[in-house]
Amino acid sequence: MFKKILIANRGEIAVRILRACRELGIKSVAVFSDVDRKALHVQLADEAYGIGPAPSRESYLRIDKLMDVARRAGSDAVHPGYGFLAENPALPRACGEAGITFIGPPPEAMEALGSKTAGRRLARRVEVPTVPGANDPTDRSQAQALAQSMGYPVLLKAVAGGGGKGMRLVYSDTEFESAFRNAASEALNAFGDERLYLEKYLERPRHVEIQILADAHGRVVSLGERECSIQRRHQKVAEESPSPIITAELRKKMSDAAVRLARAGGYVNAGTVEFLVDQRLNFYFLEVNTRLQVEHPVTEQVTGLDLVKLQIAIAAGHRLPFAWESITPRGHAMEVRLYAEDPENNFFPSPGKILARHTPSGPGIRMDEGVYEGWTVPNDYDPLLSKLIVWGNSREETMARLRRALDEYVVTGIRTNAGLFRRILAEPEFLRGEIHTRWLDDLLRRPRAAAASPAAHSNPVTDPNAAAEAAAIAAAVWQAKQNARQASTASPVNETSSRWKMEGRREQRDRMP
Ligand code: ADP
């Protein structure tokens, strides 16, 4: 096992990773830019090294500085987290040259799967359905001819795009030419690469993604899906698992497709295969994220697995001790991304000093965060403050808990988007799971209903909160009965974790000199 892991990241994900290191008895090394000197990840790590000025291209994106810290600190592995260099094959290559283990996929697998167009090509080869469109970057006239034959609307995407950026929706042929020109120059400015490709724009799809784990010995498993359809401008803001629409059969089909693709790309470590699912439950491959996702905790909560520890174990050469059949989601989990931003002012970032805060706790609550009272949130990075993750026995219980947790959450000094989630949780469509990737944008365009006065006798049929409450009580009672019935039989998750432990002990024994 490793002795000292360098965490090439900041914020909540750096804290998440160093916590896993501490539980495994591995020392953690943090890096920080000038504005992050007092950040939580710096305070919690075993060692911390400054890597330069605030702009990330002068600090968190500098592979040479990271490698220098790794050498000075004597790190034997690097965890990239997400964002920054996590999907840049130059980092695993630099690690390889320095004789340090990269906790993530090999650079070749990143290239084969991480590039959107390469991923699409590989998906077609292994018969994973892709969103209809051009497989290779196309020039303007080729792209327009294809758009005409597919029919509008179409989506122009920057080959090098990501994070919901670099996409342009085109509704008609007349606007195509100028849209293409503008999208290409925007892509060049933002990503240094003007190449575009084209997809049919799917109306009201869901975003459903499959978490996979692959070890270096050929085992690839799916840990099931996450529903990520709650998005603002194509960026996820809330996620859940299981998806309200997924049946065991569809989960198996999507998992098979994801595993097939990962195998074809020679994938190792944790990765996510993203799909769009249309209203008839057809699914289409979107892209592979060759790293840990922001929303990985919902999968952890319903599988009982620790993905960061498993990433570390895989990188150290361990075998995955379970097959996908043993992974059955237990209960329900949701995550909301709490940002320092102002929902009243078009979600403009709202960095600044956190004067006071109270974080939710109690049954079913997990906060993954990188902030503390008195800390000044810098405006140089993504303004994600905390991820509030909630789980319960049922979707209804989880939503009731999330509502309760958001009521407990208080931050002063900066603005946050917590109110957005309270609003989402009051929407009957959300409560019924009837969502799609444009649902939140549509909701935000609607005028907000005046706050309802509390009714003396709420009617569960017309009052969504009362309906959720009744369902939550029913679910709690049902779960208690289930637990009583299953008392004598081990659940698949327990079985998995005890097998994992046994396997761990066996490996430890085998490795002893
Ligand atoms: P990024 O890498 O920038 O996140 P993705 O290709 O993963 O881009 O897409 C992000 C989101 O954009 C999707 O979850 C979905 O909401 C929307 N989207 C992407 N492609 C399509 C499409 N062909 N039709 C409809 N929506 C799409």
Side-chain angles (χ1 to χ4, degrees):
M1 209 21 120
F2 306 115
K3 290 193 171 57
K4 217 186 230 187
I5 293 180
L6 171 76
I7 301 163
N9 217 302
R10 64 178 297 282
E12 71 84 20
I13 194 63
V15 173
R16 166 74 189 89
I17 296 162
L18 70 84
R19 283 181 171 148
C21 291
R22 181 122 334 138
E23 288 175 26
L24 290 170
I26 299 171
K27 293 255 182 288
S28 57
V29 180
V31 288
F32 60 89
S33 72
D34 293 346
V35 287
D36 273 342
R37 192 168 293 277
K38 294 186 180 156
L40 188 63
H41 75 281
V42 176
Q43 300 191 2
L44 294 181
D46 291 302
E47 291 172 33
Y49 295 80
I51 49 167
S56 44
R57 60 177 186 286
E58 294 173 45
S59 49
Y60 295 105
L61 291 173
R62 286 280 299 267
I63 294 178
D64 55 340
K65 290 187 180 177
L66 293 167
M67 288 299 114
D68 184 47
V69 170
R71 268 187 294 269
R72 271 157 58 206
S75 298
D76 45 5
V78 172
H79 195 305
Y82 55 69
F84 294 130
L85 292 164
E87 292 183 275
N88 186 338
L91 182 58
R93 290 214 163 95
C95 287
E97 280 160 22
I100 296 167
T101 305
F102 176 74
I103 303 173
E108 299 76 23
M110 266 189 198
E111 280 157 353
L113 289 164
S115 140
K116 285 163 183 270
T117 45
R120 277 172 65 85
R121 272 196 297 277
L122 196 58
R124 293 218 170 163
R125 232 181 52 213
V126 293
E127 292 174 6
V128 170
T130 56
V131 181
N135 233 7
D136 290 301
T138 43
D139 68 24
R140 209 253 320 140
S141 59
Q142 236 185 332
Q144 188 159 7
L146 188 71
Q148 285 163 352
S149 71
M150 276 191 322
Y152 288 91
V154 298
L155 200 57
L156 289 171
K157 289 187 170 182
V159 170
K165 298 189 183 78
M167 278 186 258
R168 184 174 283 248
L169 186 52
V170 189
Y171 284 100
S172 70
D173 208 40
T174 50
E175 54 181 295
F176 192 91
E177 196 176 330
S178 69
F180 194 93
R181 216 180 311 114
N182 293 339
S185 80
E186 267 171 33
L188 185 63
N189 280 338
F191 311 110
D193 180 347
E194 64 173 355
R195 288 174 306 154
L196 302 177
Y197 70 107
L198 181 87
E199 276 179 5
K200 173 81 188 151
Y201 182 70
L202 301 182
E203 300 283 356
R204 303 173 165 250
R206 286 171 176 261
H207 175 122
V208 180
E209 59 187 32
I210 300 289
Q211 174 71 54
I212 56 147
L213 282 178
D215 68 20
H217 308 275
R219 175 170 266 185
V220 187
V221 296
S222 155
L223 302 188
E225 82 286 0
R226 291 183 289 260
E227 162 95 49
C228 311
S229 301
I230 299 297
Q231 302 182 355
R232 205 176 67 78
R233 297 186 181 160
H234 303 308
Q235 291 182 47
K236 302 163 188 167
V237 294
E239 306 86 4
E240 64 184 296
S241 186
S243 160
I245 51 152
I246 296 284
T247 58
E249 191 195 351
L250 185 55
R251 178 176 299 128
K252 166 94 171 75
K253 268 198 204 157
M254 292 178 71
S255 292
D256 283 349
V259 166
R260 212 157 59 236
L261 188 56
R263 273 190 201 291
Y267 202 78
V268 179
N269 218 284
T272 295
V273 184
E274 298 189 328
F275 296 96
L276 292 180
V277 179
D278 72 13
Q279 285 161 19
R280 288 186 312 212
L281 299 187
N282 298 308
F283 61 89
Y284 306 92
F285 167 73
L286 198 57
E287 66 166 343
V288 180
N289 287 142
T290 57
R291 54 168 166 83
L292 191 67
Q293 299 272 81
V294 178
E295 59 273 22
H296 76 275
V298 295
T299 299
E300 295 189 319
Q301 295 311 138
V302 296
T303 60
L305 299 170
D306 184 315
L307 291 188
V308 178
K309 286 185 192 167
L310 288 171
Q311 283 193 294
I312 294 170
I314 288 170
H318 287 260
R319 286 173 191 276
L320 282 172
F322 47 79
W324 70 268
E325 293 92 337
S326 64
I327 308 288
T328 312
R330 197 182 55 105
H332 201 96
M334 281 188 184
E335 172 186 281
V336 298
R337 303 186 185 191
L338 294 163
Y339 282 100
E341 59 184 22
D342 185 0
E344 304 303 324
N345 184 16
N346 204 20
F347 295 92
F348 211 71
S350 169
K353 187 166 180 178
I354 298 174
L355 296 180
R357 64 199 281 276
H358 177 83
T359 53
S361 53
I365 307 296
R366 164 175 170 184
M367 283 293 264
D368 277 21
E369 54 188 353
V371 299
Y372 58 90
E373 201 169 291
W375 189 58
T376 300
V377 181
N379 61 6
D380 306 86
Y381 312 108
D382 182 77
L384 179 65
L385 294 171
S386 311
K387 301 182 314 201
L388 167 58
I389 305 113
V390 169
W391 73 101
N393 289 308
S394 63
R395 189 167 189 266
E396 286 71 23
E397 184 175 53
T398 305
M399 291 188 294
R401 263 188 190 155
L402 183 52
R403 208 175 282 121
R404 186 267 291 171
L406 287 165
D407 285 345
E408 290 179 25
Y409 181 70
V410 181
V411 172
T412 64
I414 55 170
R415 294 189 184 279
T416 79
N417 62 345
L420 174 69
F421 302 112
R422 294 193 193 100
R423 184 169 174 200
I424 292 172
L425 283 162
E427 286 297 319
E429 282 172 339
F430 180 78
L431 302 184
R432 291 195 300 266
E434 291 167 7
I435 48 177
H436 54 84
T437 55
R438 288 279 289 267
W439 180 84
L440 180 57
D441 289 323
D442 291 348
L443 176 73
L444 291 172
R445 268 195 293 272
R446 291 209 295 266
R448 210 180 301 189
S453 58
H457 298 287
S458 53
N459 176 346
V461 179
T462 53
D463 176 352
N465 289 335
E469 216 172 85
I473 292 170
V477 173
W478 177 85
Q479 189 61 40
K481 282 190 194 149
Q482 281 291 101
N483 290 354
R485 204 173 306 144
Q486 288 180 353
S488 56
T489 56
S491 77
V493 169
N494 287 340
E495 195 181 297
T496 301
S497 63
S498 59
R499 265 170 42 198
W500 171 239
K501 267 190 234 147
M502 265 168 48
E503 189 79 9
R505 279 192 211 116
R506 192 180 61 75
E507 292 227 354
Q508 240 175 14
R509 203 183 52 222
D510 292 351
R511 275 160 186 259
M512 296 232 273

